[in-house]
Amino acid sequence: MTDAIDDYVSTVGAELRGSARLRADMLAEIRDALVDASESHQAAGLAGQEAEEQAVREFGSARRIAAGLQEVLAVAHGRRTALVFLAVVGVQALGAELLGHLGGWRMMWGDEQPGAAYLWLARTTDLLAGGALVAAVAAVLLLGRGLRHVGIRLGLVRLTAALAATMIVLTVGCGVLLTVLPSSAGAAVTVTGVTGAVLSAVPVLVCARRSWLAAVGPGRALIYSGQRGKPDPDWISARRARQR
């Protein structure tokens, strides 16, 4: 019987937000550890139910464990967002450079010359793209090896999500304007440019949303609440009450 263990694992799992695969792996490891501890207590002479509950007590607060696991999930999502963000802005930068070498200005403007406002927008877009690239590289580094030296993991994940979403919306918005404003651009060029710009933002926005939700998962503050090594005070009694 593993009723107490299953209930404990379910309690932890209900608190977690993030990758289903990673959550499942975490919960499987917790369950295996609890089963091993319970079997050890049974070998020492405790009955099955009592051995399971003792293993749960020793494992600690379900909410605290969930808060710690949620931080791991959030960091994993944050790093994925940073990598996707870096890939997208990198491809955008390479595409813009290639378009310039292939005569993209003439393709969009023909024999006309873009006005001062358009040139200002183009320079602003280049600056935003450069800033986005630097921010993406910094986020990848900070959410990787940098976490050894930075203690604000959840805050960093939320910052990465917000920055990635904001920067991609700004750069894509500017890219769309640069595509639709030229008077000589044909319909095919305009539609292709706008579609490509908008679709490139989708994976970044999806990842940013998931990272944000993972970083504000329930119970995260309890990791530093001083409850280390202590079980939820009423968890075992509440479970027994439900069984009556």
Side-chain angles (χ1 to χ4, degrees), residues 123-142:
R123 286 192 294 269
T124 300
T125 303
D126 289 341
L127 290 174
L128 285 173
L133 197 58
V134 170
V137 171
V140 169
L141 294 176
L142 285 174

Side-chain angles (χ1 to χ4, degrees), residues 2-49:
T2 57
D3 289 346
I5 291 175
D6 287 341
D7 285 353
Y8 182 87
V9 172
S10 296
T11 300
V12 174
E15 295 285 331
L16 300 180
R17 292 182 181 180
S19 165
R21 180 186 59 79
L22 189 54
R23 289 201 318 268
D25 290 344
M26 289 175 168
L27 295 177
E29 289 183 8
I30 291 175
R31 191 179 190 284
D32 289 344
L34 288 170
V35 169
D36 289 343
S38 175
E39 290 175 349
S40 177
H41 288 310
Q42 290 183 56
L46 291 180
Q49 182 82 3

Side-chain angles (χ1 to χ4, degrees), residues 69-161:
L69 295 178
Q70 187 61 54
E71 183 172 304
V72 176
L73 284 166
V75 170
H77 275 285
R79 182 167 175 78
R80 181 181 301 174
T81 295
L83 289 170
V84 172
F85 183 38
L86 177 60
V88 170
V89 296
V91 169
Q92 287 178 340
L94 288 175
E97 191 69 21
L98 180 62
L99 185 63
H101 283 299
L102 293 177
W105 285 97
R106 182 168 295 277
M107 182 189 305
M108 299 181 71
W109 285 92
D111 295 328
E112 299 181 35
Q113 291 296 321
Y118 188 89
L119 293 175
W120 175 87
L121 179 62
R123 286 192 294 269
T124 300
T125 303
D126 289 341
L127 290 174
L128 285 173
L133 197 58
V134 170
V137 171
V140 169
L141 294 176
L142 285 174
L143 288 169
R145 295 183 180 274
L147 285 178
R148 299 176 182 177
H149 311 289
V150 180
I152 51 171
R153 298 186 178 189
L154 293 179
L156 187 58
V157 172
R158 290 193 293 271
L159 177 62
T160 299

